[in-house]
Amino acid sequence: MLQQQLLRLKQFYYDYKYSYRNTQDLNEAIRFIHEDVRRDKARRLLADTEAYGIPRADAPQASES
């Protein structure tokens, strides 16, 4: 009886452990995808502003003489 309970406890532990690891992997994948989306939005915004002739904030300004 005690051995069966110990076996079930071990099984629960391994199920929990691998479930937790998979959750961590999933969260890391979601973070990575969100970062790609932010970069793509930033690139599109930059391309749009350059297409409309809006100067970039980090672009060198022409000096006035």
Side-chain angles (χ1 to χ4, degrees):
M1 177 89 172
L2 185 59
Q3 190 145 1
Q4 274 186 321
Q5 287 178 338
L6 185 59
L7 190 61
R8 285 188 67 198
L9 185 60
K10 282 184 177 180
Q11 186 63 45
F12 284 137
Y13 170 75
Y14 284 114
D15 289 347
Y16 173 77
K17 180 179 172 183
Y18 288 107
S19 172
Y20 180 74
R21 184 178 297 161
N22 289 338
T23 301
Q24 283 183 315
D25 292 344
L26 181 61
N27 287 338
E28 186 62 31
I30 290 170
R31 267 189 240 108
F32 180 77
I33 291 168
H34 279 278
E35 187 63 31
D36 284 354
V37 168
R38 274 187 240 134
R39 286 186 189 143
D40 289 343
K41 284 182 178 180
R43 284 189 195 112
R44 270 188 257 126
L45 181 61
L46 182 60
D48 287 348
T49 56
E50 288 177 346
Y52 288 111
I54 301 170
R56 291 173 34 184
D58 63 346
Q61 301 295 321
S63 61
E64 295 180 19
S65 304

